[in-house]
Amino acid sequence: MNAGRQDPKAQLELALKVAREVEALGGKALIVGGYPRDELLRRAGRDVTSKDVDLEVYGLNVNELAALLASFGEVDQTGSAFSVFRVGGLEVAVPRRDAKVSTGHRGFDVTGDPNLSFKDASSRRDLTINAIALDPITGEILDEWGGREDLERGLLRAVNLKAFSEDPLRVLRLAMFAGRFGFRLDAATAGSARGVNLTELPGARIGAEWRKLLLESPRPSDGLHAMQSLSVLRQIHPELAALAGVRQDAKWHPEGDVWVHTTLAVDAAADIVRREHLEGDAALVIMAGTLCHDLGKPLTTRMVDGRLRSYGHERAGVSPTERFLSKLEWGAELTRFIVPLVRSHLFPTTVREPSAKAIRRLAVRLQPASIRDLLLVAEADVRGRGDPDVGFPTHDLLSNFAAQLGVVEQPLKPVLLGRHLIEMGFQPGPFFGEVLKQVQEEFLDGKVTSINEAKERAGELMRELSAMQQMT
């Protein structure tokens, strides 16, 4: 959600008040963007949540509009060239014209024009379903481009093919909407999209569309298949494009190649995230971990003794995962969560009798992610084999054992700290870090089981290291 935006209900109430004031001055205010589309879907029985309400004001110049909005609170004008205002969490703008002046997503000259007709103003929208308006006073739906009919047909169609192909971000949005709504692509629109150069898209915009696809889609695979069809993967995500056609052993993967498995697994992850009531970055970690979990298979899949094998694919998947995530610009912290899940995703399904030592060390390897996160990704991986109800026998064993050890959510805390060594009479020095690390390793292995044993062992190590130093 945009910074400063409020609850859509409060925005809607404010939009109605502003619209009445605009009407009193001889203008017209219409709700545009995603809200009218979502409202029509809700009327048709779809469970759709709107995040924001955007108001477009016709017939008032910028100064008149600014003065009117000032009566509703502090006004923030965010775009002097095309006159976008924010007041009370509501975004208000005048209709805009744009002209392509250079390459890329930002290569447009955009100016506000309050005298535009709604038809002309809505012609700049990407898809017909996003070019619908709602009159907040009368409830009337305005639709100049057949968006309402396309909603009923479940069709994603460009308002203007030439304008659509001028903005590469619209291609990503097309795939994202395919995932969010499960709509099919209009053939002409898809054909136009395939010819668009996507390589100049800013990483932050790519990441924003991926975030929406993974977090807001009942079936993200619809968006993934759209990306594949529209050449998005080939152009900017070769790590994912490489999955198609990589065969798997039919005994373990009857569903098909690695791409088919990945799309099924991501759909399973979306279901798991909803079941676990995960939101935001917590959900994104599970979704992205599942999406990337087999990126190492194109690098490792070989025929061995007549069987397809992908030995070491979990480790080989780390580098392509890092490359993929770097293009999304989600930040280093999210990458630190996701990569360990890829590297260790086989552990829950391959371990038979996990030891306390193995589980404690697993928790350390996963951090800052957790064993709980790993189990959710592993569940999605297993369900991605074609049977949505299948489980794996070691899930409960591993989960319960990790819970007994207290490492489901995070690793064991250090058993010994520097202050303990000082309390024991040792002076801070170069040996402190080495000793603390060795004691913690032995704690993880179960050789040290209490604070007293840890202190005793630390004392032994400190004396040994001191003696060795004196001998040199």
Side-chain angles (χ1 to χ4, degrees):
M1 185 178 293
N2 294 333
R5 304 305 285 265
Q6 295 180 344
D7 172 65
K9 183 178 180 181
Q11 293 179 41
L12 196 60
E13 293 173 352
L14 180 57
L16 177 58
K17 294 176 181 178
V18 172
R20 285 172 173 158
E21 292 297 320
V22 169
E23 186 177 61
L25 294 177
K28 187 74 171 176
L30 299 173
I31 296 174
V32 297
Y35 188 90
R37 174 201 68 216
D38 295 346
E39 177 60 21
L40 288 175
L41 288 172
R42 283 189 287 269
R43 293 179 187 180
R46 292 282 295 267
D47 182 15
V48 178
T49 301
S50 298
K51 290 184 177 180
D52 304 313
V53 177
D54 299 320
L55 203 62
E56 201 164 61
V57 175
Y58 296 76
L60 299 186
N61 64 44
V62 172
N63 292 334
E64 290 172 325
L65 179 57
L68 181 154
L69 294 175
S71 65
F72 292 95
E74 183 178 351
V75 179
D76 176 24
Q77 184 171 357
T78 59
S80 58
F82 40 91
S83 306
V84 178
F85 302 90
R86 284 195 174 92
V87 60
L90 178 70
E91 184 172 288
V92 184
V94 300
R96 284 165 275 182
R97 298 181 184 273
D98 54 34
K100 187 72 171 177
V101 294
S102 63
T103 59
H105 165 62
R106 300 182 183 276
F108 291 87
D109 180 25
V110 184
T111 57
D113 184 352
N115 297 315
L116 277 179
S117 67
F118 170 69
K119 182 173 184 178
D120 287 341
S122 59
S123 69
R124 62 181 291 275
R125 299 283 175 177
D126 54 359
L127 301 171
T128 60
I129 64 170
N130 296 330
I132 304 168
L134 171 67
D135 187 324
I137 298 176
T138 67
E140 177 189 3
I141 293 291
L142 287 77
D143 177 18
E144 296 284 352
W145 307 102
R148 190 168 194 166
E149 182 180 355
D150 287 342
L151 278 175
E152 294 170 354
R153 295 191 296 170
L155 185 67
L156 297 173
R157 181 169 61 91
V159 173
N160 181 298
L161 288 176
K162 180 178 182 297
F164 185 90
S165 64
E166 289 176 341
D167 186 352
L169 183 62
R170 292 182 169 185
V171 180
L172 280 188
R173 283 172 55 81
L174 181 62
M176 181 271 294
F177 283 122
R180 282 184 63 190
F181 299 126
F183 287 179
R184 70 185 189 279
L185 307 181
D186 167 67
T189 302
S192 177
R194 291 188 189 102
V196 178
N197 181 0
L198 307 178
T199 58
E200 295 183 1
L201 274 173
R205 299 310 299 266
I206 296 173
E209 296 306 320
W210 269 104
R211 179 182 283 269
K212 285 184 280 190
L213 171 63
L214 294 176
L215 296 186
E216 300 178 19
S217 301
R219 279 171 38 102
S221 64
D222 290 332
L224 296 177
H225 289 306
M227 283 190 176
Q228 185 185 46
S229 169
L230 298 173
S231 298
V232 173
L233 304 184
R234 178 182 60 80
Q235 288 199 57
I236 59 177
H237 299 306
E239 303 85 4
L240 289 174
L243 300 180
V246 178
R247 295 165 55 212
Q248 302 186 104
D249 190 322
K251 177 181 178 180
W252 301 106
H253 287 282
E255 72 280 4
D257 67 17
V258 180
W259 171 250
V260 171
H261 166 66
T262 297
T263 60
L264 292 173
V266 170
D267 283 347
D271 180 58
I272 291 167
V273 161
R274 288 189 293 269
R275 183 194 71 201
E276 300 294 320
H277 306 291
L278 300 179
E279 297 180 342
D281 285 352
L284 195 59
V285 164
I286 305 305
M287 296 301 300
T290 302
L291 176 68
C292 297
H293 79 281
D294 274 348
L295 291 186
K297 281 191 173 180
L299 303 171
T300 59
T301 299
R302 303 286 186 275
M303 189 69 74
V304 179
D305 297 330
R307 300 283 296 273
L308 286 166
R309 294 287 187 265
S310 302
Y311 293 126
H313 75 271
E314 65 277 21
R315 294 182 299 277
V318 169
S319 290
T321 296
E322 290 174 337
R323 289 196 301 273
F324 171 73
L325 294 175
S326 70
K327 297 171 189 173
L328 309 187
E329 295 186 9
W330 285 345
E333 185 65 14
L334 270 176
T335 298
R336 289 179 59 238
F337 273 85
I338 296 164
V339 166
L341 298 176
V342 173
R343 187 171 51 230
S344 299
H345 76 269
L346 285 183
F347 185 96
T349 54
T350 56
V351 66
R352 290 294 174 259
E353 296 181 359
S355 65
K357 171 183 174 180
I359 293 178
R360 290 192 189 105
R361 289 194 170 277
L362 174 65
V364 172
R365 292 197 305 274
L366 288 173
Q367 62 182 335
S370 67
I371 288 179
R372 178 175 182 266
D373 295 331
L374 182 66
L375 288 172
L376 297 181
V377 171
E379 180 185 351
D381 182 13
V382 171
R383 288 173 56 179
R385 296 175 186 172
D387 184 348
D389 298 319
V390 71
F392 52 94
T394 56
H395 177 280
D396 290 345
L397 172 65
L398 182 56
S399 178
N400 292 337
F401 202 173
Q404 292 173 16
L405 296 172
V407 294
V408 173
E409 298 292 345
Q410 61 184 5
L412 291 175
K413 294 180 180 179
V415 65
L416 203 67
L417 301 173
R419 62 177 175 83
H420 293 125
L421 297 182
I422 295 173
E423 290 170 359
M424 293 166 62
F426 295 107
Q427 295 298 316
F431 298 148
F432 264 39
E434 184 176 348
V435 168
L436 292 174
K437 180 179 179 181
Q438 179 62 32
V439 171
Q440 185 66 13
E441 290 289 320
E442 295 184 15
F443 180 55
L444 293 175
D445 289 344
K447 298 176 181 177
V448 169
T449 61
S450 68
I451 182 66
N452 288 333
E453 290 182 7
K455 288 180 177 180
E456 182 178 348
R457 180 59 176 145
E460 293 174 357
L461 290 170
M462 287 294 291
R463 287 187 288 272
E464 289 175 5
L465 290 170
S466 296
M468 290 175 60
Q469 185 182 47
Q470 293 174 4
M471 293 173 61
T472 59

